[in-house]
Amino acid sequence: MDPVVTVEGLRKAYGDVTAAADVTFEVARGEVFGMVGPNGAGKTTILECITGLRRPDAGRVRVLGLDPRRDRYAVRERIGVQLQAAALPDALRVGEAVALFASFYTGGGDPAEALRRVGLDDRSGARVSALSGGQRQRLFIALALAHQPEVVLLDELTTGLDPQARRDAWALVREIRERGATVILTTHFMEEAERLCDRVAIVDRGRVVALDTVGRLIAALGEERRVTFVHEGPFDEARVRDMPGVVRVERLGDRVIVSVRGVGTAGRVTTALEEAGVAFDELRVERPTLEDVFLARTGSAWSADAAPDVRPSRRQGRP
């Protein structure tokens, strides 16, 4: 691993509320690293300590080998940040906003290229007030990319976006990574983390309770997979129930649920159904998800709106 971000024993509290408790992890160069957890879990606080916006109560943070507090100006020249709470004057034009942010940095960046990358090059003359929610989010990403940073930090990137705008944002994250930048993102959308992240840290009540690739986190559960399909009428359930690796067979109306364990068992069940001439429809193989990992690690029901944010608010701007 070639770490570009190192966090060791990070602690941060707001009064009686502990937002980060002994958090430790590294982010490798070129990876997409995700922090997932419900609102109020501490994700944004950890992100703000990495950028230097917050001073940790204890612990050590290094970004590109630099201290984000002591070397704040050097760090900010090399990172881009899209904050969860973001706002710009309504009368400001899109092109003006990106040019302004690019001027904050020594290299100046390329505002036109930043707008092109997020698909807003045709909206350069539009006022911020005229943008849709998805376009505003893309504008804030353009502000973070204006100076071509080495590390990009995205906080709750797709909150409030419609499904198409969310997928457009996902495509943009992949493009940022393909251009060689390292991406750190926070999210409470499990599908988003599964699709985008090389590794994921599950954060709960200020602690990292699990950290690994999505595949390894799920595999470590040893959970059952489910083969579900629709079938009208009876069939020889024992033919499936007695197969090695099949845990149980359930029927809910015309839907059949076969719970299985072990590599290849789901495929063998499907083959057995076909060989027996069972006519089935809507066949699906469902696996455990990151939500299941969260439940197993924390013992808490998942809710994207589980807790209010305890941090003081900040607005979009150069740290």
Side-chain angles (χ1 to χ4, degrees):
M1 175 180 282
D2 177 17
V4 296
V5 174
T6 300
V7 178
E8 297 177 349
L10 174 66
R11 283 187 285 153
K12 181 67 180 178
Y14 304 107
D16 295 332
V17 178
T18 299
D22 297 318
V23 172
T24 297
F25 61 83
E26 289 184 328
V27 180
R29 186 177 301 277
E31 80 171 326
V32 178
F33 182 88
M35 287 187 286
V36 303
N39 291 334
K43 306 183 302 294
T44 296
T45 290
I46 296 168
L47 200 73
E48 290 181 342
C49 288
I50 292 172
T51 63
L53 286 170
R54 301 285 178 194
R55 185 187 298 277
D57 297 331
R60 177 178 177 269
V61 179
R62 291 293 181 270
V63 179
L64 298 164
L66 303 170
D67 184 322
R69 296 290 298 183
R70 185 187 63 223
D71 307 310
R72 60 176 63 90
Y73 296 114
V75 169
R76 292 167 190 174
E77 286 286 337
R78 301 172 67 182
I79 68 173
V81 185
Q82 170 264 325
L83 296 174
Q84 182 178 356
L88 288 168
D90 286 344
L92 191 65
R93 298 189 186 277
V94 169
E96 294 172 342
V98 181
L100 174 64
F101 273 65
S103 71
F104 293 155
Y105 302 92
T106 302
D110 186 343
E113 171 64 11
L115 285 175
R116 187 200 65 77
R117 289 177 67 182
V118 301
L120 288 178
D121 42 327
D122 62 339
R123 302 290 285 163
S124 178
R127 299 184 186 277
V128 171
S129 59
L131 300 181
S132 66
Q135 289 172 333
R136 286 187 183 224
Q137 194 72 310
R138 280 187 278 161
L139 172 57
F140 294 130
I141 297 171
L143 301 182
L145 301 179
H147 58 301
Q148 299 183 349
E150 298 172 55
V151 181
V152 181
L153 301 103
L154 307 171
D155 191 17
E156 303 290 0
L157 173 66
T158 61
T159 297
L161 299 187
D162 62 64
Q164 184 57 55
R166 180 170 297 156
R167 280 162 175 75
D168 290 343
W170 292 352
L172 181 57
V173 171
R174 295 187 186 101
E175 181 187 341
I176 294 170
R177 188 260 188 89
E178 288 168 2
R179 288 174 173 259
T182 301
V183 179
I184 302 175
L185 63 87
T186 72
T187 182
H188 54 234
F189 295 115
M190 295 296 98
E191 182 186 5
E192 184 164 289
E194 290 193 42
R195 286 176 177 260
L196 295 179
C197 298
D198 298 299
R199 291 187 303 137
V200 171
I202 297 178
V203 182
D204 181 47
R205 297 178 180 87
R207 297 183 181 276
V208 174
V209 297
L211 195 165
D212 211 328
T213 65
V214 173
R216 289 174 181 166
L217 286 171
I218 292 174
L221 284 178
E223 291 282 320
E224 304 166 357
R225 291 191 175 200
R226 300 194 306 172
V227 181
T228 70
F229 59 91
V230 172
H231 172 72
E232 295 182 1
F235 75 97
D236 185 8
E237 294 184 10
R239 183 183 181 95
V240 173
R241 185 183 297 111
D242 296 339
M243 292 178 60
V246 173
V247 179
R248 61 185 172 274
V249 179
E250 304 168 270
R251 296 206 65 158
L252 299 174
D254 60 357
R255 181 167 296 279
V256 181
I257 304 170
V258 183
S259 300
V260 302
R261 292 184 187 272
V263 177
T265 305
R268 289 192 293 273
V269 167
T270 303
T271 300
L273 293 171
E274 292 174 337
E275 291 177 347
V278 176
F280 56 82
D281 196 9
E282 299 180 23
L283 178 71
R284 293 187 299 172
V285 178
E286 301 172 347
R287 63 164 189 161
T289 66
L290 273 180
E291 181 172 343
D292 297 308
V293 177
F294 179 86
L295 292 171
R297 296 285 185 168
T298 67
S300 301
W302 178 264
S303 171
D305 302 309
D309 200 334
V310 298
R311 300 166 298 106
S313 63
R314 286 187 178 272
R315 293 189 175 273
Q316 178 78 28
R318 187 187 182 199

